[in-house]
């Protein structure tokens, strides 16, 4: 006679035979596997780019809530003389919240908006009403059509949330197409968000990684700052930092990933840009810029092109590199680091 065992479930005690116990365990394993597959499919089905028309139609059917969150990620260099947070308070896409890349960062670092810890990111976005099942749409109000939003898109993906999209053309195109805006803000109810970089640590490169790569050449370093800054011909926007580039790196200016209307180039156009820049999409790529923000344009572009391996980001980028690297590792056509 089969021996019976007690199983506690939901506060109740159930008496099961070994066969029944095996069935229960099997069902539990299958359920967990299906849940993981569904989560994966959800991420795969989330488009990296969404149009203003698509978002406007979504807002007509369902207002912003736990299933859909919109983030204005606007941030500007001091030389641009704009304040993203103040502009958001005046006008933004209905239902949007403001994501501050300087607040959601490692506040102990001397370098700008370095990545926060998993716990800090989870707390920050959870306070914006973003949960594990939320589809997040990010945009900024820059004249480029995309400036900081790709950084936040990348951050969500890095911390294990693939259900995130960039609004193609940004706020600039949203307004141009005549979609509604508002100047009021109602803080959403906090949500539970789980952040983890497990299995994605290779997406972030450190100063040590870049230094080692000068010799090892394990990945291509691509700088997205303007050519003149890359070559050392024009000044950097940060005081005390001179222009130039990392030895062996290539240049693909971030604004060249979008057209004159601020819309992301087509996949075919992006592939041609990579080819023209002599960057192989079939080999590992690491993006760099001034402080790790627009480097994420490169990540998005490679993703749209179907690169077999996710491009990484040098989080400290040129600001950190110039500060730490020896003079021989600061390549410039102008004066030396000394």
């Amino acid at each position: 006679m089969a021996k019976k065992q007690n199983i506690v479930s939901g506060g109740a005690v159930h008496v099961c035979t070994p066969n029944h116990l095996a069935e229960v365990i099997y069902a539990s394993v299958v359920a967990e596997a299906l849940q993981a597959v569904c989560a994966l499919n959800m991420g795969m089905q989330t488009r990296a780019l969404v149009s203003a028309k698509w978002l406007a139609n979504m807002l007509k059917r369902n207002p912003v809530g736990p299933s859909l969150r919109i983030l204005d990620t606007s941030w500007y260099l001091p030389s641009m003389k704009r304040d993203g947070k103040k502009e958001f308070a005046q006008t933004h896409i209905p239902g949007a919240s403001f994501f501050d890349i300087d607040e959601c960062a490692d506040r102990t670092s001397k370098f700008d908006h370095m990545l926060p810890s998993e716990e800090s990111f989870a707390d920050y976005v959870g306070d914006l009403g973003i949960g594990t099942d939320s589809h997040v749409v990010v945009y900024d109000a820059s004249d480029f059509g995309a400036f900081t939003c790709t950084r936040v898109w990348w951050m969500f993906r890095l911390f294990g949330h693939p259900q995130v999209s960039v609004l193609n053309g940004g706020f600039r195109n949203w307004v141009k197409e005549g979609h509604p805006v508002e100047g009021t803000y109602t803080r959403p109810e906090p949500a539970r968000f789980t952040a983890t970089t497990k299995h994605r640590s290779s997406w972030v490169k450190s100063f040590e990684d870049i230094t080692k790569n000068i010799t090892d050449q394990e990945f291509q370093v691509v700088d997205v700052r303007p050519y003149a800054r890359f070559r050392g011909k024009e000044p950097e926007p940060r005081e005390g930092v001179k222009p130039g580039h990392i030895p062996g790196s290539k240049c693909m200016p971030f604004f060249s990933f979008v057209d004159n209307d601020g819309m992301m180039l087509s996949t075919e156009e992006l592939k041609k840009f990579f080819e023209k820049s002599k960057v192989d999409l079939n080999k590992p790529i690491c993006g760099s810029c001034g402080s790790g923000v627009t480097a994420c344009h490169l990540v998005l572009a490679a993703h749209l092109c179907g690169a077999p391996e996710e491009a990484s980001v040098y989080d400290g980028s040129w600001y950190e590199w110039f500060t730490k690297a020896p003079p021989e590792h600061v390549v410039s056509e102008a004066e030396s680091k000394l």
Side-chain angles (χ1 to χ4, degrees):
M1 182 175 179
K3 185 178 180 181
K4 297 180 179 180
Q5 296 187 21
N6 293 337
I7 298 178
V8 179
S9 175
V13 178
H14 304 275
V15 180
C16 297
T17 64
N19 287 340
H20 186 199
L21 176 60
E23 291 173 359
V24 170
I25 295 174
Y26 176 76
S28 176
V29 171
V30 170
E32 288 183 7
L34 287 174
Q35 187 177 19
V37 170
C38 287
L40 178 62
N41 288 338
M42 189 175 183
M44 293 175 65
Q45 292 167 4
T46 301
R47 288 179 288 179
L49 280 180
V50 294
S51 67
K53 182 179 179 181
W54 177 89
L55 183 57
N57 288 335
M58 287 292 289
L59 292 179
K60 288 177 183 177
R61 292 199 299 265
N62 299 296
V64 171
S67 62
L68 175 65
R69 294 296 184 191
I70 304 172
L71 299 178
D72 182 330
T73 69
S74 300
W75 173 90
Y76 304 100
L77 290 163
S79 59
M80 295 178 172
K81 297 180 180 179
R82 293 180 63 179
D83 188 317
K85 189 174 290 187
K86 286 184 178 179
E87 290 181 17
F88 170 82
Q90 296 170 353
T91 181
H92 52 262
I93 294 176
S97 293
F98 188 77
F99 187 106
D100 191 327
I101 63 171
D102 281 333
E103 287 187 11
C104 188
D106 179 359
R107 308 292 289 276
T108 66
S109 175
K110 65 177 288 186
F111 303 109
D112 295 340
H113 30 253
M114 296 286 279
L115 282 168
S117 65
E118 294 174 347
E119 183 179 5
S120 294
F121 185 82
D123 288 344
Y124 186 86
V125 302
D127 284 344
L128 296 177
I130 298 170
T132 304
D133 297 326
S134 301
H135 179 188
V136 182
V137 176
V138 297
Y139 74 91
D140 62 60
S142 70
D143 294 332
F144 297 109
F147 186 57
T148 53
C149 61
T150 56
R151 167 75 178 191
V152 180
W153 170 82
W154 174 73
M155 288 174 72
F156 270 99
R157 288 170 51 79
L158 173 68
F159 285 111
H161 192 82
Q163 302 95 263
V164 58
S165 306
V166 169
L167 178 63
N168 201 8
F171 191 62
R172 165 187 169 181
N173 185 63
W174 177 269
V175 172
K176 180 182 177 181
E177 291 189 9
H179 299 298
V181 297
E182 66 179 16
T184 59
Y185 175 62
T186 302
R187 191 170 189 85
E189 287 292 322
R192 182 178 176 79
F193 186 93
T194 301
T196 176
T197 59
K198 188 177 181 180
H199 306 307
R200 289 176 295 279
S201 59
S202 63
W203 289 17
V204 185
K205 301 302 183 190
S206 65
F207 174 81
E208 291 73 21
D209 293 329
I210 302 298
T211 300
K212 186 173 182 290
N213 191 65
I214 292 175
T215 302
D216 296 353
Q217 294 290 295
E218 293 180 350
F219 50 85
Q220 306 162 93
V221 177
V222 181
D223 195 321
V224 305
R225 290 173 301 148
Y227 282 116
R229 285 168 57 190
F230 176 84
R231 294 171 59 194
K233 294 291 189 178
E234 286 187 2
E236 287 292 311
R238 291 174 175 81
E239 187 176 351
V241 179
K242 295 181 180 179
H245 61 267
I246 297 166
S249 61
K250 299 174 182 178
C251 185
M252 295 179 71
F254 76 91
F255 45 77
S256 298
F257 291 109
V258 297
D259 62 20
N260 292 332
D261 294 319
M263 307 294 284
M264 201 75 179
L265 298 180
S266 69
T267 301
E268 287 307 311
E269 290 172 317
L270 289 172
K271 287 180 178 179
K272 289 179 181 178
F273 185 29
F274 276 103
E275 185 177 356
K276 179 182 177 182
S277 304
K278 298 182 179 179
V279 177
D280 191 344
L281 285 165
N282 292 311
K283 295 180 180 179
I285 301 172
C286 175
S288 180
C289 56
S291 59
V293 176
T294 53
C296 299
H297 280 54
L298 176 81
V299 181
L300 174 59
H303 177 82
L304 293 171
C305 290
E309 183 176 330
E310 193 81 8
S312 58
V313 171
Y314 174 23
D315 200 26
S317 284
W318 184 250
Y319 184 15
E320 180 185 49
W321 185 260
F322 181 83
T323 303
K324 294 182 176 180
E328 64 270 21
H329 286 170
V330 175
V331 182
S332 175
E333 296 177 23
E335 59 187 63
S336 69
K337 180 179 175 179
L338 297 175

